[in-house]
């Protein structure tokens, strides 16, 4: 396995362009949580020409709806949710400067094209390893849509959040390549 | 008649919903360990190791193994000589889930289909009642995640499709799902019955502990055949390529209409949560 690449948020083209599908990365800094309902609201704001609750440029969105924090912890379990449900919204956010997405599962052709066009990266975290992932989260603060409960937008401070690059700026897709490699006829 | 109080039911369901989410079954952990032996991909091996670590963290630190603590699904087998006292049975089951999700810091994942407004207490829940002989009450608490449920499918095949048609649809369902349902998965297959019964059979098939044989050896052979074909797809742990796409295939079958061959495929993620209670 290759060496682990340490990424610090916010990200720039320079951080994103050398990344290739299959690279193992760790992410440190601020990431924002958003899933289905929050994405719908973000895009409604964009279409109405209004300001978003956080500046998207250079940022990383983590597709996660954490479980509630028990006493003495900053967050509950916090693994990725399936990303395709955010596909209708993701290209617009990349156009606004979103640089990274963390989730699990396949992306649409439109999203993969947008990743190339706007120089972004899609990374997978281990789905279902919510307890393990929560160790990388140092603080969590709701910044918008508290009424959405688990779907509220949270600002997370993460330290060495582990992920693997799936879709890169040159059009590679680890899901397709990985499966092809181990397929038995 | 043997009396069982609604309070005993509330308490048992509450505890089970918390335990099911904090403590991954030994059968699943054992399947991970066996998977590590068979997995050819180094990334795949690494993921299976991390899933074992995840289950230990959840168990020891008393937090859910996965943030998707599921929709509350309950199977009930109530002996016809049991009388429920102290309130109504359905409300007791729902109250158990409500209390478990609140006190266990589990995620509330139920919302209005259109407005998407969260109901706030993880209710309503899905309950399947069955009446059986005897004076026991059996309850299976089965929190079910959304990611794997979304990748499940149901087929009303023509009878001429037969076993080859069933096999093709099951493998196709898993192949199309790819990384989305959090492989390594467990595949429940319901064959026969009718439209809704095939889906219930598929979900019930997921309750069987991993590593235990199908009571019908013929179905057991079919399960092996399906598992081999699924693991030849190369999807692997988390869909990143590898051998262990699914840990097991479980089939349940019953007779069906002479015109029909219903087949339901219910996918479960590796966070296979199910607890059996006997009251």
């Amino acid at each position: 396995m290759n060496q682990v690449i340490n990424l610090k948020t916010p990200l720039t083209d320079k951080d994103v362009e050398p990344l290739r599908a299959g690279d193992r990365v760790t992410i440190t800094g601020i990431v924002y949580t958003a899933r289905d309902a929050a994405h719908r609201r973000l895009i409604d704001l964009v279409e109405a020409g209004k300001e978003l609750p956080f500046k998207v440029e250079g940022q990383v969105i983590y597709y996660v709806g954490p479980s509630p924090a028990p006493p003495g912890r900053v967050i509950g379990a916090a693994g990725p949710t399936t990303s395709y449900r955010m596909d209708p919204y993701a290209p617009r956010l990349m156009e606004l400067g979103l640089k990274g997405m963390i989730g699990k599962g396949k992306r649409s052709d439109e999203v993969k094209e947008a990743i190339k066009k706007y120089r972004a990266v899609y990374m997978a975290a281990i789905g279902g390893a919510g307890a393990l992932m929560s160790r990388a989260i140092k603080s969590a603060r709701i910044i918008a849509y508290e009424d959405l409960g688990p779907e509220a937008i949270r600002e997370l401070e993460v330290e060495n959040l582990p992920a693997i690059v799936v879709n890169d700026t040159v059009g590679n897709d680890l899901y397709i390549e990985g499966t092809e490699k181990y397929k038995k006829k | 008649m043997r009396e069982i109080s609604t309070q005993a039911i509330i308490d048992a369901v509450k505890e089970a919903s918390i335990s099911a989410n904090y403590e991954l079954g030994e059968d699943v952990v054992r399947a991970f360990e066996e998977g590590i032996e068979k997995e050819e991909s180094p990334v795949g091996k690494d993921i299976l190791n991390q899933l074992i670590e995840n289950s230990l963290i959840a168990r020891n630190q008393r937090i859910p193994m996965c943030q998707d603590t599921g929709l509350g699904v309950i199977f009930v087998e109530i002996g016809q000589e049991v009388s429920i006292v102290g309130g109504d049975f359905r409300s007791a089951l729902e109250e158990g889930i409500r209390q478990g999700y609140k006190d266990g810091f589990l995620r509330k994942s139920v919302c209005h289909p259109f407005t998407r407004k969260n109901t706030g207490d993880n209710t309503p829940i899905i309950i399947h009642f069955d009446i059986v002989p005897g004076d026991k009450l059996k309850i299976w608490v089965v929190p079910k995640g959304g990611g794997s449920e979304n990748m499940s499918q149901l087929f009303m095949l023509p009878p001429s499709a037969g076993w080859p048609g069933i096999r093709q649809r099951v493998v196709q369902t898993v192949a199309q799902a790819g990384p989305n349902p959090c492989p390594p998965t467990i595949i429940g297959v319901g064959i026969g019955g009718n439209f809704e019964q095939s889906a219930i059979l598929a979900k019930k098939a997921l309750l069987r502990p991993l590593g235990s044989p199908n009571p019908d050896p013929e179905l057991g052979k079919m399960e092996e055949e399906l598992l081999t074909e699924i693991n030849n797809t190369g999807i692997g742990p988390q869909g990143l390529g590898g051998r262990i796409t699914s840990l097991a295939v479980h089939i349940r079958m019953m007779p069906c209409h002479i015109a029909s061959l219903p087949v339901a495929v219910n996918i479960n993620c590796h966070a296979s949560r199910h607890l059996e209670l006997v009251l």
Side-chain angles (χ1 to χ4, degrees):
Chain A
M1 281 186 277
N2 322 335
Q3 218 185 330
V4 178
I5 300 164
N6 301 302
L7 294 175
K8 288 212 165 35
T9 65
L11 302 178
T12 63
D13 285 359
K14 263 197 184 148
D15 296 314
V16 165
E17 281 170 353
L19 298 173
R20 289 294 173 268
D23 285 349
R24 289 187 302 149
V25 297
T26 62
I27 300 140
T28 298
I30 298 294
V31 301
Y32 293 93
T33 74
R35 41 174 294 154
D36 309 57
H39 270 81
R40 193 154 106 179
R41 289 195 189 176
L42 288 177
I43 294 301
D44 284 348
L45 287 178
V46 171
E47 279 169 5
K50 291 185 181 150
E51 207 173 309
L52 298 181
F54 65 96
K55 210 167 150 270
V56 173
E57 216 184 313
Q59 297 304 336
V60 173
I61 291 182
Y62 182 16
Y63 301 143
V64 56
S67 63
R73 299 185 77 97
V74 299
I75 204 160
T81 195
T82 325
S83 306
Y84 73 89
R85 300 192 312 270
M86 273 54 80
D87 285 355
Y89 314 111
R92 191 77 181 89
L93 294 175
M94 282 184 261
E95 196 184 342
L96 292 173
L98 181 71
K99 280 288 160 207
M101 293 154 285
I102 308 165
K104 61 153 172 117
K106 293 179 274 193
R107 306 311 302 262
S108 66
D109 290 342
E110 290 76 15
V111 170
K112 291 187 221 172
E113 273 309 307
I115 286 171
K116 285 201 295 193
K117 185 171 172 190
Y118 301 115
R119 327 305 292 160
V121 63
Y122 171 55
M123 300 164 278
I126 298 184
L132 185 77
M133 301 289 294
S134 74
R135 290 198 303 197
I137 299 169
K138 301 303 165 192
S139 75
R141 178 170 76 90
I142 291 181
I143 60 157
Y145 314 143
E146 194 161 6
D147 62 299
L148 291 177
E151 296 203 66
I153 295 184
R154 289 167 171 83
E155 187 185 86
L156 302 183
E157 193 189 335
V158 298
E159 206 177 286
N160 297 322
L161 186 81
I164 187 159
V165 176
V166 173
N167 295 111
D168 58 30
T169 52
V170 293
N172 294 314
D173 187 327
L174 183 62
Y175 289 134
I176 294 172
E177 288 146 27
T179 299
E180 218 31 65
K181 191 172 166 189
Y182 288 95
K183 192 180 214 163
K184 276 190 188 169
K185 297 288 174 199
Chain B
M1 295 297 267
R2 179 170 164 256
E3 291 191 345
I4 298 176
S5 77
T6 48
Q7 192 58 52
I9 294 166
I10 293 171
D11 293 345
V13 169
K14 175 186 171 178
E15 285 311 313
S17 65
I18 297 172
S19 305
N21 273 297
Y22 290 0
E23 298 158 16
L24 185 63
E26 295 291 337
D27 59 330
V28 184
V29 177
R30 213 173 306 122
F32 289 156
E33 287 164 354
E34 288 166 13
I36 292 168
E37 300 296 313
K38 291 182 203 152
E39 183 55 64
E40 294 160 21
S41 148
V43 175
K45 271 186 200 284
D46 187 40
I47 288 166
L48 293 168
N49 272 311
Q50 292 196 55
L51 292 179
I52 293 174
E53 195 185 347
N54 183 63
S55 72
L56 290 173
I57 295 170
R59 184 180 284 269
N60 295 336
Q61 300 187 12
R62 308 290 294 161
I63 58 169
M65 63 193 83
C66 176
Q67 73 291 336
D68 184 355
T69 52
L71 183 66
V73 178
I74 290 186
F75 282 92
V76 174
E77 278 181 10
I78 183 165
Q80 60 187 16
E81 287 152 47
V82 172
S83 169
I84 306 288
V85 296
D88 82 275
F89 187 20
R90 176 177 279 278
S91 301
L93 295 169
E94 202 142 70
E95 184 58 24
I97 292 290
R98 187 179 286 117
Q99 291 185 12
Y101 276 67
K102 180 170 174 283
D103 295 354
F105 299 93
L106 307 181
R107 197 180 77 183
K108 288 74 184 173
S109 309
V110 181
C111 72
H112 185 283
F114 291 141
T115 66
R116 312 305 294 179
K117 187 176 161 40
N118 200 300
T119 62
D121 63 359
N122 221 51
T123 72
I125 63 173
I126 314 289
I127 311 171
H128 302 286
F129 289 103
D130 200 359
I131 298 175
V132 297
D135 66 353
K136 293 276 190 291
L137 171 60
K138 267 193 184 180
I139 299 172
W140 287 263
V141 178
V142 194
K144 183 70 168 73
S148 56
E149 196 75 353
N150 281 345
M151 296 295 118
S152 301
Q153 295 201 49
L154 197 153
F155 306 93
M156 298 303 287
L157 298 180
S160 62
W163 169 240
I166 294 170
R167 196 175 58 198
Q168 191 260 332
R169 292 309 202 288
V170 174
V171 176
Q172 168 200 310
T173 300
V174 179
Q176 280 174 357
N180 294 5
C182 282
T185 49
I186 298 147
I187 312 299
V189 181
I191 302 172
N194 60 0
F195 185 75
E196 80 276 9
Q197 187 61 33
S198 63
I200 293 170
L201 287 171
K203 181 143 283 155
K204 264 193 157 170
L206 295 172
L207 302 180
R208 201 176 100 212
L210 296 182
S212 62
N214 193 309
D216 179 342
E218 281 303 307
L219 292 181
K221 272 189 224 156
M222 291 174 170
E223 290 175 349
E224 280 306 310
E225 207 177 309
L226 286 172
L227 184 63
T228 302
E229 207 170 322
I230 285 167
N231 285 342
N232 282 346
T233 58
I235 293 167
Q238 293 294 309
L240 298 172
R243 212 55 315 124
I244 309 298
T245 305
S246 294
L247 299 170
V249 178
H250 289 177
I251 302 178
R252 279 184 87 131
M253 186 171 77
M254 71 176 289
C256 55
H257 192 282
I258 53 174
S260 305
L261 179 54
V263 180
V265 185
N266 196 194
I267 303 184
N268 207 4
C269 55
H270 55 77
S272 169
R273 293 155 288 194
H274 50 88
L275 262 188
E276 184 184 337
L277 303 167
V278 184
L279 297 179

